Amino acid sequence: MNDAVVAEGDLIARKEGSAGIIRLNRPKAINAVTLEMFHDIDKALNAFEADPDVAVIVLEGAGERGLCAGGDIRTLWESSKVRGDLGKILWRDEYILNARIKQFPKPYVAFMDGIVMGGGVGLSAHARHRVVTERTKLAMPEVGLGFFPDVGGTYLLSRSPGEIGTYFGLTGTTMNGPDAIYAKFADAVVPSAKLAALRAALTKVQPGTTSADIDKLIGGFATGEKTGPVAAQQAAIDGWFAYDRMEDIVTALMADESELAQATLKTLGEKSPRGTVVTLKLLRLARTTATLEACLVREYRAALEVFASDDFREGVRAAVIDKDRNPKWSPAGIEDVTPEMVARYFAEIGADELTFPDSK
């Protein structure tokens, strides 16, 4: 018997056996998440946490294309255009949910199959058990929207080996499943053909099952892969991205005539100059920040500045609205991004500061 805990619509949340299933249910939009969906996930977590018969949480996406393509960017763009407050509300609730997922007291398993981007990363990569497949395409491409890798992305990327996280964060390059494990965004590769069997096994675990037991269960379905193509490029990436200024990263790439260096340089040249400078600073600060929550506080300050910026509106216009892939960034080059511009993204915001509830 399936016991729904949320009225079924864009989000399905119900008990199946001993598992609390959370399914993102907008397959035509690759399960892009809305403010209402965040609220429903939080409501479902309340119910599952309080239910002694729920042993494990399973996050999954409806349809064949992926777990989640990110947030509902078009709606945010429309609010930004009229100087609305959707960004302020949505990101606050989303970031609080991201932190809750990391701290959730019961095992939380995320099926990161297919496309996993942006807000989808926030719902899955902070989970205790993160399963990818041969179909996984994980990315944080926000710099191409005049934004930065948020939802705790700066926390995750700053903990990847060497400069791998800097590379992924600044270029928005897509990770496959093993890449995601190497970058510390995931834990196990399970063939997509075995996901249904793993899911069925998770619905049968006993209440009180430990995370170590869940790891062992998942391991029985996993391939054991730990490193993807990006690992082989570690030395070169570390050399190019070791700097704290975008100008120095660009100079290092320009000096390297290799195909990967030149492709990386071209990719960076397509991104928002202001977005890359802000992202690099966020990543460097995150390295010495102990908690996800502290990184999210910093991201929230920066996100509110992004929401008010022409670069965000222009980036979304070019990528999502008009789809001409030809954004006109302001300023147009990294050399024109001033310290005064950057400082606004890191300034304290008084009563609007992000705070976290002490307990649920």
Side-chain angles (χ1 to χ4, degrees):
M1 179 179 177
N2 297 337
D3 300 320
V5 298
V6 169
E8 295 188 359
D10 288 346
L11 188 92
I12 295 172
R14 63 191 179 202
K15 285 170 61 177
E16 294 186 23
S18 58
I21 304 293
I22 298 176
R23 181 182 304 149
L24 309 181
N25 192 40
R26 298 182 69 207
K28 290 182 180 178
I30 320 180
N31 302 314
V33 278
T34 64
L35 178 61
E36 293 73 21
M37 290 167 73
F38 292 133
H39 291 166
D40 283 344
I41 293 169
D42 198 51
K43 179 181 175 183
L45 290 178
N46 286 339
F48 293 148
E49 184 175 348
D51 189 336
D53 294 329
V54 171
V56 61
I57 313 302
V58 177
L59 175 75
E60 61 186 13
E64 296 296 316
R65 298 167 72 190
L67 172 66
C68 177
D72 190 348
I73 290 292
R74 182 182 290 268
T75 305
L76 282 165
W77 177 78
E78 290 169 351
S79 180
S80 177
K81 277 208 313 177
V82 298
R83 304 298 194 266
D85 60 359
L86 179 60
K88 180 178 177 179
I89 297 166
L90 184 144
W91 287 320
R92 176 181 297 278
D93 292 353
E94 181 181 16
Y95 294 1
I96 290 170
L97 180 59
N98 298 150
R100 183 181 187 188
I101 288 167
K102 182 170 176 59
Q103 302 294 342
F104 200 71
K106 294 182 179 181
Y108 181 118
V109 182
F111 283 178
M112 302 166 75
D113 187 33
I115 292 170
V116 186
M117 293 185 180
V121 173
L123 296 175
S124 59
H126 299 302
R128 201 166 316 169
H129 309 279
R130 304 163 299 177
V131 174
V132 288
T133 74
E134 79 284 356
R135 303 188 302 197
T136 295
K137 295 179 179 179
L138 188 153
M140 301 208 77
E142 290 83 359
V143 178
L145 299 175
F147 201 23
F148 60 88
D150 68 328
V151 298
T154 63
Y155 176 86
L156 293 161
L157 291 163
S158 68
R159 282 151 177 80
S160 298
E163 299 297 340
I164 292 294
T166 314
Y167 166 74
F168 280 125
L170 289 173
T171 65
T173 299
T174 300
M175 309 178 199
N176 68 9
D179 279 338
I181 292 175
Y182 187 69
K184 300 186 179 180
F185 274 68
D187 304 300
V189 177
V190 173
S192 57
K194 293 185 177 181
L195 282 182
L198 172 57
R199 187 184 186 281
L202 288 166
T203 66
K204 296 179 175 67
V205 301
Q206 295 300 307
T209 297
T210 67
S211 285
D213 292 331
I214 298 294
D215 280 335
K216 187 175 180 180
L217 173 61
I218 293 170
F221 294 85
T223 65
E225 295 169 87
K226 296 294 182 186
T227 59
V230 76
Q233 307 294 341
Q234 173 93 58
I237 287 170
D238 284 355
W240 301 326
F241 287 90
Y243 304 97
D244 296 337
R245 296 190 330 132
M246 280 304 303
E247 293 91 336
D248 296 330
I249 291 173
V250 168
T251 297
L253 287 164
M254 290 176 66
D256 188 329
E257 296 180 359
S258 70
E259 187 175 339
L260 180 60
Q262 292 307 301
T264 302
L265 186 63
K266 181 177 183 295
T267 297
L268 286 177
E270 297 166 352
K271 308 304 182 188
S272 159
R274 198 176 350 168
T276 59
V277 173
V278 169
T279 295
L280 183 58
K281 183 169 181 179
L282 284 166
L283 290 173
R284 293 301 184 249
L285 288 170
R287 278 187 173 168
T288 56
T289 301
T291 66
L292 170 62
E293 287 85 351
C295 287
L296 287 166
V297 167
R298 190 183 296 124
E299 289 180 9
Y300 188 67
R301 293 172 182 170
L304 295 193
E305 183 64 25
V306 166
F307 195 64
S309 75
D310 292 334
D311 257 17
F312 174 69
R313 289 186 285 273
E314 174 62 7
V316 176
R317 181 207 61 76
V320 178
I321 309 301
D322 298 337
K323 298 183 180 178
D324 60 21
R325 306 289 173 182
N326 187 31
K328 299 292 188 285
W329 301 119
S330 176
I334 55 173
E335 67 278 4
D336 299 316
V337 180
T338 67
E340 290 75 22
M341 287 178 192
V342 175
R344 293 201 296 268
Y345 292 80
F346 297 87
E348 294 182 5
I349 52 177
D352 286 332
E353 292 283 12
L354 182 65
T355 57
F356 299 90
D358 294 330
S359 61
K360 280 283 176 184

